[in-house]
Amino acid sequence: MHDPASVDPEDPIAAERSQWLRLVGDDAVLSALVRRHRERHRRYHTLDHVLDVVHHVGELMAVEPVDDVGAVIAAAWFHDAVYEPRSSANERASARLARRDLVKLGWSDDRADIVGAMIEGTSHHTDPADVGTAVLFDSDLAILGTQPETYAAYVDDVRAEYSHVDDESWRTGRADVLSDFIARERIYVTTTGFERWESTARKDMSSELDTLRR
């Protein structure tokens, strides 16, 4: 998880801000993203989640050969920029926002499109086009491979975001999602992600699925 001891208390995202300015663009876009990730209706898909994803991206990129580090960092920050639990188009809207803002920052259309495609891929986390996309997917799913108490808190937060869904529909929908992940040959595509999180993720999800089916 994100290590609060590693940041300047005067700026909770000092390290991430420095990285963003070096690899992506200006501070105004980042500040706008931070405001989005702090929206009141969010419980799991918050700034803390994004910081965790950025942290894991950095860890994986240290050992996985990524061609465009800046693109993966940008995708990590933008991937939940638009988040409305009642919508099925969050990834598409987040990708559209990323393309627009990155082009305004001077990125080429092609490079911004790569970021957009990474973000849209987080709607299913399958068949990553390249190592950078695989790193993003694995980092986004890292929460699944955490210790049981952390995993349980994550489930509670996601359930709170879906408070508009009745219990029976939640159990059915959640069970379908878990079953899909468990049926995959691999949840994590990168070698590092697989070795670090695969076994624990399968235990966490299987335990939750058993609970949902009781």
Side-chain angles (χ1 to χ4, degrees):
M1 305 295 285
H2 182 67
D3 179 7
S6 66
V7 300
D8 182 347
E10 297 299 320
D11 181 0
I13 62 165
E16 293 82 4
R17 190 182 306 279
S18 176
Q19 180 188 58
W20 171 276
L21 294 173
R22 177 167 49 87
L23 297 173
V24 182
D26 68 29
D27 191 58
V29 173
L30 179 61
S31 295
L33 286 172
V34 169
R35 287 194 296 272
R36 284 179 174 273
H37 294 306
R38 284 175 168 163
E39 291 167 339
R40 291 193 174 187
H41 68 276
R42 297 173 184 249
R43 293 296 180 272
Y44 171 68
H45 294 87
T46 62
L47 180 60
D48 282 343
H49 166 62
V50 172
L51 292 175
D52 282 344
V53 172
V54 171
H55 174 71
H56 291 310
V57 161
E59 290 184 328
L60 294 183
M61 288 195 301
V63 291
E64 302 286 344
V66 172
D67 290 331
D68 189 341
V69 173
V72 185
I73 293 296
W77 272 102
F78 275 102
H79 84 284
D80 284 326
V82 178
Y83 184 72
E84 169 49 61
R86 296 174 184 267
S87 174
S88 62
N90 290 314
E91 293 83 6
R92 190 179 316 122
S94 295
R96 188 182 308 119
L97 178 68
R99 291 186 180 100
R100 184 199 73 185
D101 285 358
L102 291 172
V103 169
K104 286 182 178 179
L105 290 174
W107 287 43
S108 69
D109 288 343
D110 288 346
R111 194 176 181 215
D113 284 343
I114 289 171
V115 173
M118 288 183 185
I119 294 167
E120 292 197 51
T122 61
S123 65
H124 47 72
H125 298 95
T126 57
D127 302 320
D130 51 37
V131 178
T133 305
V135 164
L136 176 67
F137 288 2
D138 284 4
S139 298
D140 194 28
L141 297 178
I143 187 65
L144 302 178
T146 53
Q147 294 304 306
E149 60 274 14
T150 303
Y151 181 87
Y154 142 73
V155 174
D156 287 346
D157 286 342
V158 174
R159 181 66 182 103
E161 290 179 337
Y162 282 82
S163 59
H164 59 282
V165 176
D166 65 81
D167 287 343
E168 183 59 31
S169 297
W170 165 260
R171 284 193 295 269
T172 300
R174 182 70 180 173
D176 287 345
V177 170
L178 295 172
S179 297
D180 175 73
F181 273 114
I182 292 170
R184 297 181 185 186
E185 183 176 350
R186 290 175 63 133
I187 297 167
Y188 300 97
V189 182
T190 66
T191 300
T192 308
F194 181 83
E195 292 175 349
R196 182 176 298 184
W197 299 308
E198 185 84 15
S199 177
T200 303
R202 290 189 178 278
K203 291 176 184 176
D204 284 340
M205 289 190 291
S206 294
S207 178
E208 184 190 358
L209 187 58
D210 288 344
T211 300
L212 290 169
R213 288 175 170 171
R214 287 175 190 166

